[in-house]
Amino acid sequence: MYDLTEHYDAIFRRKSFHLFHGVGDDRITEDELAAIGEAWGRFVPLCPEIRTAIRIVPARRVNFRHGAEYCVLIYSEKKENWLMNAGYVGEQFDLWLVEHHIGSLWCGLCKPDEVTFDGLAYVIMFAIHKVNDDGKYRKDMFAASRKPTAEVWSGDEPGELDIARFAPSACNSQPWCVESRDGTLTVSRYKKPGKIGIMSDTAALYFNRIDVGIYLCFLEICMQKSGIGFDRALFPDDGGKEELTKVASYRLVR
């Protein structure tokens, strides 16, 4: 099994840089840009049958106006659970950037300069900028605005897996819930009725499927870090508007 635990410590430090102000004058080097491209190919997908790729472009090319140097555009085949897969791989990238002193922001509302690449469809992008001081990252993850455990987890106590609820999401919507019974976790996408923040209902259905993939990445990092083995089953999420859509189950092996 791929060792996701190398990203565990970064969970506690990562933050969304909505503005890249005060991050210093250091710039991402050509060697670092090359390393970003190479790193993407090493991350483990949630769905190995889905091909993904990235493009790195100057932030001005996609009209990002909040101080980023570059934007990293994610592209994917359109197959079952392609958005969830993009979130899962993309969050590994997000945590990798923390480890390499590069600030990032998941950008859902920026428009790509190219909607297709190498036969793949555009999914979402990251804005990035070099960070010259680790103190610019989050100092206390537990102070972050997140739903209390009781709102996202039911059944057996989550223990160390509670850390997964600090996963980032579009408009901080946190569209996930978990039921833990008899050694099995059932993860569902929660659809809050109506508009969410600045997102329309249609946009929320799109981005929240990415968000669930981000959450599964956090959850699996925490399980691996805690020495919990698992057998995973995924279920198709076609973006339906039901309140709960089951997306994954995990049979735990302790």
Side-chain angles (χ1 to χ4, degrees):
M1 181 182 292
Y2 176 82
D3 184 11
L4 291 171
T5 60
E6 63 183 76
H7 303 306
Y8 181 77
D9 290 344
I11 287 176
F12 296 86
R13 299 170 51 224
R14 73 154 302 281
K15 64 176 286 186
S16 298
F17 285 84
H18 294 279
L19 295 173
F20 291 95
H21 294 165
V23 295
D25 297 326
D26 293 352
R27 292 291 181 263
I28 298 171
T29 67
E30 291 297 322
D31 286 346
E32 287 171 326
L33 290 176
I36 288 172
E38 293 170 1
W40 184 265
R42 296 196 300 269
F43 300 140
V44 60
L46 186 66
C47 306
E49 71 278 8
I50 298 178
R51 187 167 65 93
T52 63
I54 59 171
R55 291 176 58 241
I56 306 171
V57 302
R60 64 181 180 277
R61 189 179 298 179
V62 294
N63 203 28
F64 185 89
R65 300 180 179 180
H66 301 289
E69 293 182 74
Y70 296 95
C71 285
V72 181
L73 284 65
I74 301 175
Y75 294 83
S76 172
E77 289 182 288
K78 284 189 173 183
K79 292 183 174 180
E80 184 176 276
N81 290 333
W82 66 297
L83 297 177
M84 190 160 59
N85 181 68
Y88 184 91
V89 182
E91 189 51 36
Q92 293 169 62
F93 178 59
D94 189 22
L95 297 173
W96 183 91
L97 290 170
V98 175
E99 296 155 6
H100 291 78
H101 314 290
I102 298 173
S104 65
L105 175 69
W106 284 93
C107 296
L109 299 182
C110 292
K111 294 183 178 180
D113 60 334
E114 295 183 16
V115 296
T116 60
F117 170 67
D118 194 25
L120 307 176
Y122 170 74
V123 183
I124 196 170
M125 72 178 75
F126 281 95
I128 61 174
H129 194 293
K130 187 73 175 179
V131 175
N132 68 349
D133 180 359
D134 281 351
K136 300 295 193 297
Y137 287 101
R138 194 180 298 280
K139 297 178 179 64
D140 180 8
M141 180 191 72
F142 296 99
S145 176
R146 293 295 189 271
K147 294 176 182 177
T149 303
E151 282 191 32
V152 299
W153 193 284
S154 63
D156 302 327
E157 290 297 316
E160 55 276 288
L161 304 186
D162 188 50
I163 294 297
R165 69 185 171 90
F166 290 92
S169 57
C171 292
N172 201 26
S173 51
Q174 304 166 65
W176 44 71
C177 61
V178 182
E179 182 180 26
S180 177
R181 305 281 182 191
D182 301 322
T184 298
L185 306 182
T186 301
V187 183
S188 298
R189 175 173 59 80
Y190 168 64
K191 172 65 178 73
K192 181 179 179 180
K195 185 178 178 181
I196 300 176
I198 61 173
M199 294 190 297
S200 67
D201 184 70
T202 300
L205 286 170
Y206 180 90
F207 291 116
N208 284 170
R209 284 181 279 166
I210 297 173
D211 296 336
V212 168
I214 295 172
Y215 178 80
L216 294 184
C217 179
F218 265 46
L219 182 63
E220 293 186 16
I221 290 172
C222 292
M223 285 194 283
Q224 289 190 24
K225 183 67 174 179
S226 302
I228 301 172
F230 57 84
D231 293 321
R232 180 216 297 141
L234 298 177
F235 305 96
D237 183 357
D238 60 3
K241 295 185 179 182
E242 297 81 11
E243 183 176 44
L244 291 179
T245 300
K246 183 167 71 170
V247 297
S249 68
Y250 294 87
R251 184 175 63 82
L252 305 185
V253 182
R254 294 181 181 268

